[in-house]
Amino acid sequence: AQTVTQSQPEMSVQEAETVTLSCTYDTSESDYYLFWYKQPPSRQMILVIRQEAYKQQNATENRFSVNFQKAAKSFSLKISDSQLGDAAMYFCAYRNGGANSKLTFGKGITLSVRP
Amino acid sequence: DAGVTQSPTHLIKTRGQQVTLRCSPKSGHDTVSWYQQALGQGPQFIFQYYEEEERQRGNFPDRFSGHQFPNYSSELNVNALLLGDSALYLCASSFFQQIYGYTFGSGTRLTVV
């Protein structure tokens, strides 16, 4: 079974600074996908960024980027130029390749942004 | 274009009762998955429905059951409620053949007293 581990329950960052959220995962599959989701107080899960395991290049979406270390099974999220609206819970998630595979989530990390 | 709609938003039930939660998927999506998110935890997969059949199931007891209707909407039923069933229940819709493109609803907060 696949597992996703987020060992930092909380982190804090100063507005405009950079913060990195850590995630490790365990799988024996070769075809899989990794995601970071944001859950604000509205409770809706919002996709921040995704990474295909077969791609060596790290994914980037505006201020959000990942450091994907496949051999180490590590998938960290870097948020640059942090904004007050970035404050939320962030979840790392794993999905096997193929249709209809489920998402496996980590426990999440609460990110606060100091003005 | 409407996203995923879940109802009700909040619900309080007594231990031993039964509850039904509802989900309308995003337009164009044909697959619905349900997740349970306990307070301070990540979501846990309950089951997934496609073509009105349960396609996958997580590690949840038979007290948890579901249904998908011809219009792709779905219900989650929980019988004999326990205090430990108190959680946020999230519905996510997707298109069966797509790897990406999950859309989540805002969930139903169930409190069992």
Side-chain angles (χ1 to χ4, degrees):
Chain A
Q2 293 78 28
T3 59
V4 177
T5 302
Q6 295 179 254
S7 57
Q8 308 155 303
E10 296 180 0
M11 287 199 74
S12 180
V13 63
Q14 191 75 34
E15 193 176 6
E17 297 293 309
T18 296
V19 64
T20 298
L21 310 183
S22 301
C23 172
T24 59
Y25 61 95
D26 190 26
T27 184
S28 58
E29 301 290 333
S30 58
D31 179 21
Y32 57 89
Y33 302 80
L34 297 165
F35 306 86
W36 278 97
Y37 279 90
K38 172 185 179 181
Q39 188 178 41
S42 66
R43 309 183 314 199
Q44 184 180 21
M45 287 282 188
I46 301 167
L47 178 64
V48 174
I49 198 166
R50 68 182 186 229
Q51 175 76 45
E52 298 87 344
Y54 62 83
K55 289 187 177 179
Q56 291 186 336
Q57 186 173 6
N58 290 324
T60 299
E61 289 286 344
N62 301 313
R63 298 183 295 107
F64 300 88
S65 62
V66 299
N67 183 4
F68 175 47
Q69 300 291 325
K70 190 172 183 178
K73 295 180 179 175
S74 171
F75 182 61
S76 60
L77 174 69
K78 185 172 79 172
I79 306 174
S80 304
D81 186 25
S82 296
Q83 301 176 359
L84 296 177
D86 294 334
M89 280 205 74
Y90 286 82
F91 292 94
C92 179
Y94 168 101
R95 183 189 191 280
N96 280 338
N100 82 320
S101 292
K102 66 178 183 180
L103 287 168
T104 299
F105 288 87
K107 287 188 175 182
I109 178 170
T110 301
L111 177 66
S112 59
V113 181
R114 304 186 302 276
Chain B
D1 186 18
V4 176
T5 303
Q6 291 189 244
S7 62
T9 55
H10 296 85
L11 200 55
I12 299 175
K13 288 288 190 178
T14 302
R15 191 172 46 184
Q17 285 187 318
Q18 179 265 345
V19 68
T20 298
L21 311 181
R22 295 176 175 81
C23 173
S24 293
K26 180 179 179 180
S27 178
H29 285 179
D30 57 9
T31 302
V32 173
S33 302
W34 287 91
Y35 291 81
Q36 180 195 65
Q37 185 178 11
L39 194 62
Q41 301 294 316
Q44 298 289 316
F45 175 74
I46 303 175
F47 43 52
Q48 181 189 77
Y49 278 85
Y50 170 67
E51 290 187 333
E52 302 180 48
E53 291 186 8
E54 183 181 291
R55 298 289 176 158
Q56 277 194 85
R57 189 179 182 90
N59 189 25
F60 279 81
D62 292 345
R63 298 186 297 108
F64 289 77
S65 63
H67 189 77
Q68 186 180 35
F69 300 93
N71 66 353
Y72 308 118
S73 66
S74 177
E75 289 182 348
L76 164 65
N77 301 292
V78 187
N79 294 324
L81 285 166
L82 304 174
L83 296 179
D85 295 331
S86 295
L88 178 67
Y89 289 84
L90 293 168
C91 170
S93 72
S94 58
F95 185 63
F96 188 76
Q97 295 297 333
Q98 282 186 341
I99 299 295
Y100 316 122
Y102 285 93
T103 300
F104 282 84
S106 295
T108 295
R109 173 72 68 190
L110 172 65
T111 302
V112 182
V113 297

